[in-house]
Amino acid sequence: MTRLLFVHAHPDDETLATGVAILHHVERGDDVHVLTCTLGEEGEVIPSGLAHLEGAEGDPLAEHRRGELAGAVDALGVTSHLLGATAHGGHTAYRDSGMVGSAAFAHPRAFAGAELAEVAALVRSTIEEIDPDVVVTYDPQGGYGHPDHIRVHEAVRAALAQMPSAPMLFVTLTPRSWVGEDRVWLASHLPAGSPYAVPSPTDPIAPSVVDDALVTHAVIDPSVVGRQQEALRSHATQVVVGDGWFALSNDVASRLSGREGYAVMDPSTGEVLPGGAAGSAAGGDIARPGLLGARL
């Protein structure tokens, strides 16, 4: 049995960014944990009936999204942890920072503004408590540049770099060819008259989309998409779930393809390691299907 820890910034990130790998490993019988670093206080609320939570005094959205996270991790079948919750009455130590330049970004508890050493120490404490074989988080750009995602990446790397016997670090990356395939699929599968936009082949792509050769490992398991959709429905303030696709508050559809790309990273240097180095680091076992996927 392998123990894996997925580290994310906000509720819903665990299912959106790494839900396929999480469910794949749960179904293999592995011990899977999710560490969430904020409660997503700055999330944009989609349902009109819950719009009063967004930006309200006292951050009621935080408590609501904590409940959504509980539903999602229950559907995923994983153990959930909140960063610094023991010392903060069950809440996270930090607050959702919003985007750069927003009022939330200047909040005294903003996650992105916290001292990196302080955040890394909390992350390291959780890693040592769980003692995983593998830690998984965002790429250096945080998927799409969110400052909280970037801070998670930085803190995880700093924590692991300080550990004498650190677990292997995987970061999320998407092969460029998959994006083109997914956009074609969306164009042919969204219902006629759908209010959700389908990205065109020439629309911008996220920073985490890279040349296929840079993605050294993949989890490809379409059988888990139904359970991923179930988990996403728990995050009702943030996500609209369709049949094989989802949309966020920007009303742009994205495919739930049942596949995710990863690469092994050296936490000290930030260098993406070739497949051979990854296999060596795990006693040659990383190539077996299921342990964050076979090599591409």
Side-chain angles (χ1 to χ4, degrees):
M1 180 181 69
T2 302
R3 184 174 298 119
L4 302 96
L5 171 62
F6 293 78
V7 187
H8 286 288
H10 315 108
D12 79 21
D13 292 334
E14 79 293 327
T15 312
L16 289 170
T18 57
V20 173
I22 286 173
L23 286 164
H24 182 79
H25 282 276
V26 167
E27 293 194 358
R28 285 179 56 89
D30 290 329
D31 183 17
V32 183
H33 297 251
V34 171
L35 172 63
T36 307
C37 296
T38 82
L39 290 175
E41 292 86 348
E42 292 299 307
E44 297 176 340
V45 175
I46 296 174
S48 59
L50 296 172
H52 62 281
L53 296 173
E54 184 175 332
E57 186 177 353
D59 285 336
L61 183 57
E63 189 63 27
H64 188 90
R65 292 194 71 182
R66 181 164 68 162
E68 291 185 337
L69 176 63
V73 297
D74 183 62
L76 294 171
V78 303
T79 303
S80 178
H81 308 261
L82 298 176
L83 188 68
T86 301
H88 291 82
H91 286 261
T92 52
Y94 305 103
R95 190 181 185 278
D96 183 348
S97 308
M99 298 305 287
V100 176
S102 68
F105 193 75
H107 192 283
R109 287 182 55 236
F111 183 56
E115 290 291 335
L116 178 58
E118 174 187 281
V119 180
L122 276 176
V123 171
R124 177 177 176 176
S125 176
T126 304
I127 293 172
E128 290 176 337
E129 174 188 346
I130 296 169
D131 191 25
D133 303 291
V134 170
V135 174
V136 186
T137 195
Y138 314 102
D139 70 293
Q141 299 302 314
Y144 63 97
H146 194 294
D148 286 344
H149 291 209
I150 293 171
R151 179 43 51 100
V152 168
H153 172 89
E154 294 169 341
V156 169
R157 277 186 50 196
L160 294 177
Q162 298 166 2
M163 297 175 65
S165 299
M168 185 182 299
L169 172 63
F170 278 85
V171 296
T172 56
L173 293 172
T174 301
R176 196 179 307 275
S177 65
W178 288 8
V179 173
E181 293 167 4
D182 289 349
R183 290 178 175 183
V184 170
W185 184 95
L186 286 165
S188 63
H189 282 77
L190 250 68
S194 169
Y196 302 102
V198 174
S200 75
T202 58
D203 280 348
I205 57 177
S208 58
V209 177
V210 298
D211 291 341
D212 289 24
L214 297 178
V215 182
T216 57
H217 294 74
V219 178
I220 300 175
D221 190 351
S223 71
V224 305
V225 170
R227 289 183 61 194
Q228 186 182 22
Q229 291 178 168
E230 178 187 352
L232 281 177
R233 289 190 182 98
S234 295
H235 293 295
T237 62
Q238 307 299 302
V239 187
V240 174
V241 183
D243 184 11
W245 58 273
F246 71 91
L248 304 178
S249 59
N250 60 4
D251 291 339
V252 176
S254 297
R255 185 185 180 191
L256 294 168
S257 63
R259 59 187 180 182
E260 292 166 354
Y262 296 91
V264 180
M265 178 171 284
D266 183 326
S268 297
T269 65
E271 178 186 2
V272 172
L273 302 177
S280 174
D285 205 33
I286 190 69
R288 69 175 171 84
L291 185 53
L292 263 297
R295 297 191 186 101
L296 289 182

